[in-house]
Amino acid sequence: MTRKTGKERRAEIIQSSLELASEVGVGNVSTQAIADRVGIAQATVFKHFKTRNDIFRAVLEFVASKVFKVLEAQINSGNPADIRLKNFIERHLAMVNKMKGVPRLLFSDRLHVEDPELKKTVRGIITKLTENIEKLIKDGMAEGTFNPNVNAQHMARMVVTLVQGSIMRWSIFDFEHKLTDRSEEIWNVIWPALKPQH
């Protein structure tokens, strides 16, 4: 067997943590359970991550990197701003739809109460995401695609809130529907406010 690189092993640990969070809840994701899922010794997990919270932070950073790649692709696509924003919402939801452990982690006590550093990581991600969406909305105003009288900062916060709320509801209802089914609903809420008033 080929020996796996540290990067490959870290990726396996992150992926397994996400899967376990989805299946058993964040509180029950132990380093031993992660090791068993990956097929390694528990000591190997600690070789790559000092603590369980370090694993969860790495999970969030991994997910955030994927979200920002999706957003960056839309920002640089050359499409009108409304198409870029709508596509981002759809693709963001499609991505999370494949990672059910994400809402389990985002809405867990581990994040909200037990680990201030984990909360700080998420706050940074949400702030960056909101700022990027705000820029996209301002671009749309400049090109005449969006209503120039809209408060771009408030609308960006609303977009993020609607997406996060849809993800939370999806989790509470045990993933019984496709998360992507909500993208059109979100768009139908924000588009009347964003479309130019002629």
Side-chain angles (χ1 to χ4, degrees), residues 10-11 13-19 21 29 34 49 52-66 99 101-102 105 118 121 125:
R10 283 175 64 89
I13 292 168
I14 288 168
Q15 187 60 45
S16 294
S17 301
L18 261 175
E19 291 168 2
V29 180
I34 294 167
F49 298 96
R52 194 163 64 117
N53 285 345
D54 286 341
I55 297 172
F56 291 137
R57 275 193 288 278
V59 166
L60 289 170
E61 286 160 4
F62 164 76
V63 173
S65 72
K66 293 179 81 67
M99 296 187 286
V102 171
L105 181 54
L118 203 58
T121 298
I125 292 166

Side-chain angles (χ1 to χ4, degrees), residues 10 13 36 71 97 103 113 119 139 146 149 169:
R10 283 175 64 89
I13 292 168
D36 291 344
L71 181 55
N97 195 77
V113 179
K119 184 186 278 190
D139 288 348
F146 293 148
N149 298 315
R169 190 178 189 280

Side-chain angles (χ1 to χ4, degrees), residues 169-187:
R169 190 178 189 280
W170 177 64
S171 176
I172 288 169
F173 281 85
D174 294 322
F175 317 114
E176 67 180 18
H177 60 270
K178 283 185 179 178
L179 190 51
T180 44
D181 292 344
R182 298 279 119 21
S183 61
E184 196 68 28
E185 292 176 11
I186 293 171
W187 185 251

Side-chain angles (χ1 to χ4, degrees), residues 71 124 126-136 156 160:
L71 181 55
I126 291 171
T127 299
K128 184 179 174 185
L129 182 61
T130 307
E131 287 171 351
N132 276 275
I133 293 173
E134 180 183 350
K135 182 182 181 303
L136 180 49
V160 172

